[in-house]
Structure formats: structure tokens, C-alpha cells
Amino acid sequence: MFIAVFLLSNCTDDFNEINTKPDSFTVDEVSAKYFLTTPQYRLYAPDRYPYWRAHIIHTDRYSGQICFGHSSSWWSDELGYAYNSGYTDAAWDWLSGYVGSLDNFMKLTAPGGEFENEYMYAIGQITKGLYFQMFSDVFGMIPYSEATNPDIVLPKFDEQRAIYQGIITELDEAIATIGDATATGVAVDDVGDNDIYCGGDLQKWKRLANTLKLRIGMRAYGAPGADFAQTAVSSALNAELLDGESDNVLMQKDEEISQWGSACYGDVWYNFGAGSDWTMSKTMIDLLRDNNDPRLAIYAQPAVGGTHKLEKPTEGAEVENFEMRVEYILGILEDAGVDYTDVTLEDGSVEVTMPENMYYVGQPTRLNGKMSSFARYNFFSKPAEVVINKKNNGEIRPELIMSSAEAYFLQAEAAVRGIGTGSAQDLYQEGIRLAMKLWDVSDADIDTYLATEDMAMLNGTEEENLEKIATQRWIAAFTDGFEAWAIVRDMGYPAELAAGVEDGDIFGLGDINGNYPQRMRYGNGVINTNGDNYNAAVAIQGPDVQDTKLWWAK
């Protein structure tokens, strides 16, 4: 008994030390910053399922910047324009389900939260603004005011006008909170590298918030009941906006994490062979090539070219359409200045030869399935390697959150519309400069473009100048299909995209009779579980189809 008591008394002297896990965290080591990175990357680089089905199948292609439907593609370029519940549900489920992790971060940092920190909370408010603007601009009316209320299982759908106003209110709160602060705290309270948007720089966050407010205000400007828009625009224009190369908000891609954790374009490009590859659109290539834009060789690769046989069918209705389809494709090559040859063979087929790796040629958007054998994969340009690189195989293009170039284009638009000050021409050209610097174009090439190209001059009517601004914004949004698509719907340019398509012999009209897609349909999950609120939204917004225009659309 004496020995047992002696040993027990000695053991309890070191009880606390012995029972402390060597890998545990102390109070000084825990922070809400560890809950920030996940909602940041999941908003702009989710796992491959939505990255493929929401980004590439829908928004990147609705933007008119990339195409399916070539001879090696598993799908016609009508995919996405014809409703598919599986693909649509993937987009809705991702965006509607995203908010949980961000809301968790905000609850932790809110007043009374476990890691209360007003500056981290302000970061959450700005991120929330980025999210809800993206989410609403895809579907229109969505759950917003009740979306994170734990006591409401079936939230109502808010009108876009209310959502935009709510975002602006929260951005103003975040801007006021940040004030002159530069960091969220010291030591473990500094978000630092855990913030993969702005690196913990609160003043950059404030400039991002002001630029987002300017984007939202300009998009709402002129929409029914958007009385708040001009006030928001004026407020943003009188504050600091993103400015200069160092202010671009970019998210570096994780090159090691599984594609089922966070994906990039290469995770799709190389996983399906050429079946899921996409080409650059004719609209994009033509705008770059025909205006001597130095980004052409940076955005895209020359067409592989070579010799290709366009086989004439021997029977059926398509026999009489053969020559028409051949002429259409040869016309695309001619428009691109390709020095090709075509030879009609004995069986009536046509053999087309074009130089290899020399010409930049874009594929027409929305070709139907009957055009695929004519739209030879190697006739068209593919995206640059930096865009489609797979992980651990060289540089991967970072995700574009928001650029300084957009801030200047928005200021130029405001000046042209008469609701902003400054020289629209100077603001416009600085936007072009920064957009090109974003892709490492040399100063000399930029200077030449700005001095010699009509596309760099705001020298027309108000509408012609707005067209140029919208077009440059659209070009600069390459790899951000969500925003590029919104630009077309909002401003109506590039006009050939906004006009939709008509010829059913060439194009896939989809479920919307060739109209330009204005939104995505709601997911079946919310229709089945929140039917009353869904029906109320449809009654206000219009039919749940892809060509129902959103509140702010042109």
C-alpha cells in the first residue's frame, strides 16, 4: 500500500503535462483564419464536378468564348443550350450549397462569436458579396435574406433588386469597418497567407469592395426600380478602386490538391481525351486577330491544321446539305485568312488541306450535331497551354476574381454615360493596358496597340463607345465565364453573341429557339423541397427557362 501511494503521488505531480496531447492547439494558436481558405477556393475553384458542369458546360460556353461540337467532341455545341437536368442540378447544388462554409466563418468572427474579429468579419461580408452577385446573376431570384437563417428551413427567393441592395449595404459596412486598418490582427489573428485572395491586405480588400460595388451599381443602372444604382456608383467612384498590376485579385491554383477537392481546366481537358476538349470561339479569335491584339498568341494556340477529308454521305437527307456545310466551313477558313486548298474527290467528298500550326481560327458558337464531322478539330485554335495545363505539369493560370482593368473599364463606362467624371478615353486605354499586362504583354506591344488600333479609341457615338468598352471587358474576362456571360446579357455585346442564332441547318437552337441564354434553370432539388417559394419566384421573374431575362438584362 505504501509503495502504491508513493507512486500515485509522484504521477500526479506531472498529470497536466502527461495528459496534454503533443499535437493539440493552445489558445494562442487557434484562429478563425483557418476557416477562411476553404470558402475562398470553393467559390472560384470547386471540385471537378461543378467545374465541369457549371463552368465549362454552361457559363464558359454561354459567354461565347469557348466551344464544343467539333469532330472529336463527345457533344454538339448545343449542349447546355438544350436543358439537361443533371448538368443544371450540378450547378445549382454547388452554388446553393456553397454558403455554409462561408456562413460558418462569419458566425465565428461576428460579434459574440468564438473568434470575434471585426476585420475578418468584414472580409466575410465582401466574399459574401462576390458569392451572391455570382449566384444571382446565374439564376436570378434566389434565397438571400433567409438563406443562412438556421430557423428557416425553406427560405424565400428574393428579387434581384433586393439582393443587389443587400450586397451594397454589406459592402458599405465592411468598408466602414476596415477604415484605415491594414491587417486583421497580429500573430495568429492575422489572416495572412490563409487569405488566398488578398494575402491579408485589408486596404486591398477595401478597394475590392469598392470595385465590386461599382460593378453592381453599373449593372443595375437603368434597370426598373434601381434608384439606388447611381448613388452606389457615385460612392464607389469617389473611393479608392483596384488600381495597377499589384491590385489584381487572383487566386493561385493549388497544383497538388485532388481534382475532387479543387479543380482546374486541365482536370477536365486531360481526363476525357479529346472528347471533352474545347476550342476557342470565332468571336474571340476574330476580335483578337482582326484588331491586331497582342493577346491572340497568349490566349490561344494556332490551329494544328493538316489534311482532312469531309466525307459526303451516300444517302439520306444530308446528301443535299453536304455542299452547303462544306461551303460554310471553308468560309470560316477564308474569314481567318487561311491559305488552304480543297479538292473534290471521285465520291464527291472534299479533302481540305491547311498549313500546320500557322493560323488562328475560331470555331463558330453553337454548331449543331450535324456539323461536327465538318468542324474538324484541327481546323480550330485551342486555348493556350497555361489555361489548360494539368496539375504538376507547369504553370496553371490563376483564377480571376477581379482585375484592376475592370475597375478602369467601369469608370470609362460611367464617364461615357455621363454619371462619372474623367476622360473616358484615358480610363478606357488604361483598362486595356492593365488587361494586357494581366497576361504579360510587353509595354511596347501595348503602346503600339493603343496608338494604332481603332479598337483602342473611343471615337464614335455613345453607343459605339459603350460597345467597345463592353467588348474589351468581355475579352479581359477570359477564363471567367460567369462575368463574361453577364457582360453580354447586360450590355448586349459582342452583338453577334447577344443576337443568338437562327439557321437550324448550321446551329443548335436548343430549347430556346436559338435565343441567347439569359439564365440557368433552377435545380430539381429546390423545386421538389421548396416548391411554394420556387413557384412564387417564377410568378415574379417569369418562366423557369433559359431565355427568361433577368431584372438588369439589356
Side-chain angles (χ1 to χ4, degrees), residues 164 200 272 315 404:
Y164 268 35
F272 297 95
E315 58 184 7
S404 298

Side-chain angles (χ1 to χ4, degrees), residues 70 72-74 269 272-278 377:
H70 52 75
S72 295
S73 179
W74 291 355
W269 184 275
F272 297 95
S276 64
D277 290 0
W278 53 93
Y377 183 38

Side-chain angles (χ1 to χ4, degrees), residues 50-124:
Y51 207 92
W52 163 233
R53 297 186 172 212
H55 295 63
I56 302 171
I57 288 179
H58 285 107
T59 62
D60 282 332
R61 291 178 49 257
Y62 285 177
S63 74
Q65 295 185 339
I66 64 171
C67 304
F68 290 155
H70 52 75
S71 60
S72 295
S73 179
W74 291 355
W75 301 275
S76 87
D77 207 33
E78 193 173 10
L79 180 68
Y81 296 89
Y83 170 68
N84 179 293
S85 61
Y87 295 146
T88 297
D89 286 353
W92 171 266
D93 292 346
W94 160 57
L95 279 169
S96 64
Y98 160 83
V99 72
S101 60
L102 176 61
D103 185 55
N104 183 49
F105 171 77
M106 295 184 70
K107 282 183 168 63
L108 289 171
T109 57
E114 188 169 347
F115 301 110
E116 180 177 344
N117 184 305
E118 62 177 342
Y119 300 123
M120 290 190 196
Y121 187 77
I123 288 176

Side-chain angles (χ1 to χ4, degrees), residues 356-398:
E356 297 181 1
N357 303 308
M358 181 180 298
Y359 293 98
Y360 291 90
V361 185
Q363 179 181 322
T365 303
R366 299 175 69 169
L367 293 180
N368 64 31
K370 294 176 181 178
M371 288 296 302
S372 63
S373 62
F374 298 85
R376 307 301 297 182
Y377 183 38
N378 290 338
F379 282 165
F380 305 114
S381 293
K382 304 171 186 63
E385 287 293 340
V386 71
V387 174
I388 57 174
N389 258 345
K390 56 185 176 181
K391 292 178 181 178
N392 300 302
N393 195 49
E395 180 186 358
I396 299 177
R397 184 76 189 167

Side-chain angles (χ1 to χ4, degrees), residues 111-158:
E114 188 169 347
F115 301 110
E116 180 177 344
N117 184 305
E118 62 177 342
Y119 300 123
M120 290 190 196
Y121 187 77
I123 288 176
Q125 288 179 300
I126 300 167
T127 306
K128 183 180 176 183
L130 290 166
Y131 160 63
F132 274 109
Q133 182 244 310
M134 179 192 294
F135 188 12
S136 180
D137 284 358
V138 171
F139 295 98
M141 291 180 64
I142 55 170
Y144 171 71
S145 60
E146 298 177 353
T148 57
N149 188 331
D151 297 323
I152 299 178
V153 178
L154 302 175
K156 68 176 182 179
F157 288 54
D158 295 275

Side-chain angles (χ1 to χ4, degrees), residues 40 43-45 130 133 196-197 205 208 215 242 248-252 398-403 406 480 483:
Q40 285 190 331
L43 181 55
Y44 287 95
L130 290 166
Q133 182 244 310
I196 54 177
Y197 291 178
W205 272 106
L208 170 59
R215 173 197 280 178
L242 295 175
N248 292 319
V249 183
L250 307 172
M251 190 186 81
Q252 295 299 320
E399 294 285 346
L400 174 60
I401 313 300
M402 187 170 285
S403 69
E406 182 175 2
D480 180 5
E483 192 57 26

